[in-house]
Amino acid sequence: MASSDFTKAEYDDRLSRTRNAMSQQGIETLIVTDPSNMAWLTGYDGWSFYVPQAVILHSSGSPLWWGRTQDKPGAAQTSWLDPSNLFDWPEEHVQHPVHHPYDSLVTLLRERDWTSGLGVEMDNYYYSAASHRVLETAFGRDVIEDATGLVNWQRAVKSDTELALMRKAGQLSAHMHATLRTGFREGRPKHELVAEVQAAGVAGLPGLAGDYPAIAPIAPSGLEASASHITWNDRPLTKGEATYFEISGCYHRYHCPISRTLFLGSPPEDIRRAEGAVLRAIEDTFAAARPGVTCEEVAACVYESFAKAGYTKGNRTGYPIGLSYPPDWGERTMSLRPGDTSRIEENMTFHLMPGLWTPEWGLAITESFVITPEGGKPLADIPREIFVIDA
Amino acid sequence: MASSDFTKAEYDDRLSRTRNAMSQQGIETLIVTDPSNMAWLTGYDGWSFYVPQAVILHSSGSPLWWGRTQDKPGAAQTSWLDPSNLFDWPEEHVQHPVHHPYDSLVTLLRERDWTSGLGVEMDNYYYSAASHRVLETAFGRDVIEDATGLVNWQRAVKSDTELALMRKAGQLSAHMHATLRTGFREGRPKHELVAEVQAAGVAGLPGLAGDYPAIAPIAPSGLEASASHITWNDRPLTKGEATYFEISGCYHRYHCPISRTLFLGSPPEDIRRAEGAVLRAIEDTFAAARPGVTCEEVAACVYESFAKAGYTKGNRTGYPIGLSYPPDWGERTMSLRPGDTSRIEENMTFHLMPGLWTPEWGLAITESFVITPEGGKPLADIPREIFVIDA
């Protein structure tokens, strides 16, 4: 990603929306540690999230970037922030048994007198319990609010520029799936196919270079596919087995995840029945997914289609997507499932996952889509049916 | 990775070493959330770390795996644990605004009466401040010990089987660097080269299939390389620029990271001088890195070599490596830097990073190596010099 993908006006709008949400929650200073949120607010991009870093957003003034000394040049290169707003913690405190980088954050906050009305992302990979303890010890429990998801929610409705990036990610996803269909054949060790598909996603298409997706290819076959998050191995593709690939193109950190199922031989009747339910579920969902409908109403389309086919789908059937960093390409706000009464809005984007996992096999045919007044529109164009090679 | 890579005796030894460390810290029940530690103890493998999961190790009995319902079949497939020791939290609590999966962990711990002497990995990506709050609220602050790094430290000395896996990762790293040298030429868009190098790492060599490394390729050119963690873009390789690739093969989750620098045109005198310092630093380090020496003594070889060449190297110059999951392939225990007096032992493995970053360029020539009585031995065989194409 590069901050130059977006206008100053778009960044201003993002800051202003975030500040509104902060103010509603009584937060004066937000410590943003989710790399996706950091990037969305400032454009900052780099594989530096394995050490403490944050964007600090006060109720007024420019956001600050705070991170490791070694990463400050990266912040200068990739974010739109003025160099005077980049702050670093001492390089010698990296992964140190005694010093914690958050000690330097405490100093920075004290210098600016930002010591109350603090918001932190309590439930995030990149905000550890140890980091929180440093802030609690310095400022006290009572002045720290849980702001998990605060920025994520602002990201839910995509701008036209963001949608254009997601459609480019979708072109990369389509290119990856085309490569997959071409390379899929009996006896082929799975890892060779994964290598080709991944390379297609990064080498991309003319004018369309791929970035690293936030999740590695999930590509289980046969019994393996009864588990949800198995990556790959070197076992040859085998007749009689369903394989599904859950993969995403990534363009300037934006994603468009799509799963497809492939079969060597003739798919048994139960898999075909499940496929029918999935295809119907997708169509029904797209028809229903209009602004004003709730997440659980959208999800109901999927559960009903499965019920009609005699299957019970228990898990959630979709989540919002967009800009992301490992280990998850979801936005972790809404879920398409019973009980989620969030109302969907125009230009929200979701990964619809009407997958089915049985003890014997797993079937995943999924779509990434955008909400329009006419219903859900897919962000990529890839044949949905199970890809069968029966020779 | 597959738990079948190791014997039952090796897993027993791992458990026993970990329990000794627990006992020394007064910990009766350890909640292991680092996916690398979970895999090292049980063999569990899957891209499921984006939701709460843990291996729970009590002072006696089998470890337990605890995770999302959807991932339980994956635990049954990949770990050596008996199915009766796999526990799940309700699927409907995934990324839920009200319910937290750790509520179910509290129930599990209460059922077994494991409610005191708890150890948690406070400073880990996969143990959030919110997760910690749930445990604190349930059991009180006083019964929870910080066990960050407890298991990581047990991983420091590698078994022969682990070293064999790391050398295989090293063969993959060498294959990736060979692919890089072949594909490196003026005008080539960087992302195309990254795609090839990554594909080489996964497609691997006959009998040697690659896994996903814990860090995406770091591959900055020219000024970009003054930052440390820039990944890649579609800019063509340009004459007069140094590019470095920090990449690792990954075999059954074991790593062997190696950086090399490449140059189009004739490298200027200052880069050549830095190269000389780096090459000398590596030789000096290998000669010094024998069992019984401290981390800071090893690091001193690097700082001295740079000082002789007129450069000051400020940041740490290496860290332990082995089994890992994103976002870091380091073990986060020792560091090769001043002040770290940890004594190195035979069969410890490190990534030696005598890199130099100036405001104008970055130079990285690194080696992964194992400690032997005769000194450090590289885990891969790759030409060290700057690879120059000057045509």
Side-chain angles (χ1 to χ4, degrees):
Chain A
M1 208 186 74
S3 58
S4 54
D5 281 333
F6 305 100
T7 60
K8 180 72 173 63
E10 180 153 352
Y11 280 113
D12 283 346
D13 180 58
R14 292 175 183 187
L15 294 181
S16 137
R17 280 194 274 155
T18 304
R19 281 174 168 143
N20 279 343
M22 286 164 57
S23 143
Q24 278 167 35
Q25 228 184 298
I27 292 168
E28 285 167 47
T29 304
L30 182 65
I31 297 158
V32 180
T33 44
D34 184 323
S36 313
N37 293 337
M38 291 174 66
W40 187 75
L41 290 170
T42 70
Y44 177 65
D45 181 38
W47 192 288
S48 55
F49 37 83
Y50 72 94
V51 296
Q53 56 176 20
V55 162
I56 302 150
L57 183 64
H58 187 65
S59 48
S60 64
S62 169
L64 313 182
W65 179 94
W66 169 82
R68 183 180 179 182
T69 303
Q70 212 178 73
D71 293 315
K72 206 169 144 181
Q77 283 178 36
T78 60
S79 83
W80 56 263
L81 301 178
D82 186 86
S84 65
N85 291 315
L86 310 180
F87 295 85
D88 55 337
W89 48 265
E91 190 59 44
E92 55 270 30
H93 291 180
V94 67
Q95 299 177 354
H96 195 282
V98 177
H99 298 288
H100 195 283
Y102 266 62
D103 295 335
S104 114
L105 182 60
V106 168
T107 305
L108 178 63
L109 293 170
R110 282 209 175 117
E111 277 167 7
R112 305 200 160 223
D113 209 18
W114 295 346
T115 57
S116 61
L118 300 173
V120 296
E121 296 170 307
M122 290 287 287
D123 218 353
N124 194 275
Y125 318 108
Y126 302 107
Y127 185 71
S128 72
S131 300
H132 186 60
R133 178 160 289 180
V134 174
L135 294 189
E136 267 193 355
T137 305
F139 303 118
R141 278 201 150 195
D142 299 344
V143 301
I144 309 177
E145 277 289 310
D146 184 3
T148 305
L150 186 151
V151 180
N152 306 57
W153 273 100
Q154 312 316 313
R155 288 160 44 200
V157 174
K158 304 299 182 288
S159 71
D160 290 345
T161 311
E162 286 183 296
L163 286 173
L165 296 176
M166 291 181 76
R167 289 200 178 91
K168 286 184 178 182
Q171 284 178 266
L172 293 172
S173 300
H175 180 51
M176 292 166 82
H177 276 285
T179 305
L180 170 59
R181 290 192 300 276
T182 305
F184 190 77
R185 58 179 171 271
E186 199 182 339
R188 191 109 205 260
K190 175 103 52 74
H191 69 287
E192 288 184 11
L193 191 54
V194 169
E196 279 179 16
V197 167
Q198 218 176 15
V202 173
L205 295 158
L208 210 59
D211 206 342
Y212 59 91
I215 301 184
I218 307 288
S221 296
L223 272 175
E224 293 160 8
S226 66
S228 299
H229 296 104
I230 298 289
T231 49
W232 66 83
N233 53 37
D234 59 358
R235 208 160 61 80
L237 296 167
T238 303
K239 207 153 185 169
E241 284 189 348
T243 296
Y244 75 83
F245 267 72
E246 182 174 353
I247 48 181
S248 182
C250 181
Y251 187 76
H252 291 203
R253 305 297 333 130
Y254 280 82
H255 291 75
C256 182
I258 313 250
S259 311
R260 288 292 182 265
T261 298
L262 303 93
F263 202 94
L264 288 167
S266 184
E269 191 271 334
D270 54 349
I271 292 187
R272 281 296 192 192
R273 197 153 43 92
E275 178 194 24
V278 169
L279 298 180
R280 211 161 32 242
I282 293 173
E283 290 302 335
D284 292 354
T285 302
F286 283 179
R290 289 161 199 266
V293 170
T294 64
C295 283
E296 66 176 358
E297 285 166 350
V298 174
C301 302
V302 174
Y303 299 115
E304 281 164 20
S305 179
F306 275 101
K308 275 184 212 157
Y311 289 111
T312 306
K313 183 170 167 64
N315 40 9
R316 69 173 177 163
T317 193
Y319 48 80
I321 45 155
L323 168 64
S324 205
Y325 284 86
D328 187 14
W329 54 43
E331 288 182 349
R332 298 182 297 282
T333 50
M334 297 160 270
S335 288
L336 301 182
R337 68 179 158 201
D340 194 325
T341 55
S342 316
R343 284 202 187 276
I344 61 177
E345 296 175 40
E346 189 171 352
N347 293 343
M348 283 182 171
T349 49
F350 292 88
H351 183 204
L352 176 68
M353 291 211 69
L356 193 69
W357 288 267
T358 78
E360 288 81 35
W361 47 263
L363 177 85
I365 301 174
T366 75
E367 288 287 351
S368 285
F369 72 101
V370 54
I371 306 293
T372 80
E374 294 78 40
K377 301 282 176 207
L379 289 163
D381 183 14
I382 304 170
R384 276 186 207 144
E385 296 70 26
I386 297 177
F387 181 75
V388 173
I389 296 190
D390 191 7
Chain B
M1 207 187 75
S3 58
S4 54
D5 282 332
F6 305 101
T7 60
K8 181 73 173 62
E10 179 154 352
Y11 280 113
D12 283 346
D13 180 57
R14 294 175 183 186
L15 294 181
S16 138
R17 279 194 273 156
T18 305
R19 279 173 169 143
N20 279 343
M22 285 165 58
S23 145
Q24 279 167 33
Q25 227 183 299
I27 292 168
E28 284 166 47
T29 304
L30 182 65
I31 297 158
V32 180
T33 44
D34 184 323
S36 313
N37 293 337
M38 290 174 66
W40 187 75
L41 291 169
T42 70
Y44 177 65
D45 182 38
W47 192 289
S48 54
F49 37 84
Y50 72 95
V51 296
Q53 56 176 19
V55 162
I56 301 151
L57 183 64
H58 187 65
S59 47
S60 65
S62 169
L64 314 182
W65 179 94
W66 169 83
R68 183 180 180 182
T69 303
Q70 211 177 74
D71 293 315
K72 206 169 146 181
Q77 283 178 34
T78 61
S79 82
W80 55 264
L81 300 178
D82 187 85
S84 65
N85 291 316
L86 311 180
F87 295 85
D88 56 336
W89 49 265
E91 191 58 45
E92 55 270 31
H93 292 180
V94 66
Q95 299 176 353
H96 195 282
V98 176
H99 298 288
H100 195 282
Y102 265 61
D103 294 335
S104 116
L105 182 60
V106 167
T107 305
L108 178 63
L109 293 170
R110 283 210 173 114
E111 276 166 9
R112 306 202 158 222
D113 209 20
W114 295 347
T115 57
S116 61
L118 299 174
V120 297
E121 296 170 307
M122 290 287 287
D123 218 353
N124 194 275
Y125 317 108
Y126 302 108
Y127 185 70
S128 73
S131 300
H132 187 60
R133 178 160 288 181
V134 174
L135 294 189
E136 267 193 354
T137 304
F139 303 119
R141 277 200 151 196
D142 299 343
V143 301
I144 308 178
E145 276 290 309
D146 184 2
T148 305
L150 187 151
V151 179
N152 306 56
W153 272 100
Q154 312 315 313
R155 288 161 43 199
V157 174
K158 304 299 182 288
S159 70
D160 291 345
T161 311
E162 287 183 296
L163 287 173
L165 296 176
M166 290 181 75
R167 289 200 177 91
K168 287 185 176 181
Q171 285 178 265
L172 293 172
S173 300
H175 181 49
M176 291 166 82
H177 276 284
T179 305
L180 171 59
R181 290 192 299 276
T182 304
F184 189 78
R185 58 178 172 271
E186 198 182 340
R188 190 113 203 258
K190 175 102 54 72
H191 70 288
E192 287 184 13
L193 191 53
V194 169
E196 279 179 15
V197 167
Q198 217 176 17
V202 173
L205 295 158
L208 210 58
D211 206 342
Y212 59 90
I215 301 185
I218 307 289
S221 296
L223 271 176
E224 291 160 8
S226 66
S228 300
H229 296 104
I230 297 288
T231 49
W232 67 82
N233 53 37
D234 59 358
R235 209 161 60 80
L237 296 168
T238 303
K239 206 152 184 170
E241 283 189 347
T243 296
Y244 75 83
F245 268 71
E246 182 173 356
I247 47 182
S248 181
C250 180
Y251 186 76
H252 291 203
R253 305 296 334 129
Y254 281 82
H255 291 75
C256 182
I258 312 249
S259 310
R260 288 292 182 266
T261 297
L262 304 92
F263 202 94
L264 288 168
S266 184
E269 192 273 331
D270 55 348
I271 293 188
R272 281 296 191 192
R273 195 154 44 92
E275 178 195 23
V278 169
L279 298 180
R280 212 163 28 244
I282 293 173
E283 290 303 334
D284 293 352
T285 302
F286 282 178
R290 289 160 200 266
V293 170
T294 64
C295 283
E296 66 177 359
E297 285 165 351
V298 174
C301 303
V302 174
Y303 299 116
E304 281 163 20
S305 179
F306 274 102
K308 276 183 211 156
Y311 288 112
T312 306
K313 181 169 168 64
N315 40 9
R316 70 173 176 164
T317 192
Y319 49 79
I321 46 156
L323 169 63
S324 206
Y325 284 86
D328 187 15
W329 54 44
E331 288 182 350
R332 297 182 297 282
T333 49
M334 296 160 271
S335 287
L336 301 181
R337 67 179 157 199
D340 194 325
T341 55
S342 316
R343 283 199 188 277
I344 60 176
E345 296 176 39
E346 189 171 354
N347 293 344
M348 283 181 172
T349 48
F350 292 89
H351 183 204
L352 177 67
M353 290 211 69
L356 193 68
W357 287 265
T358 77
E360 288 81 34
W361 46 263
L363 176 84
I365 301 175
T366 75
E367 287 287 350
S368 286
F369 72 102
V370 54
I371 306 293
T372 80
E374 294 78 40
K377 301 281 176 208
L379 289 162
D381 182 15
I382 303 170
R384 274 185 210 144
E385 296 70 26
I386 296 177
F387 180 75
V388 174
I389 295 190
D390 192 8

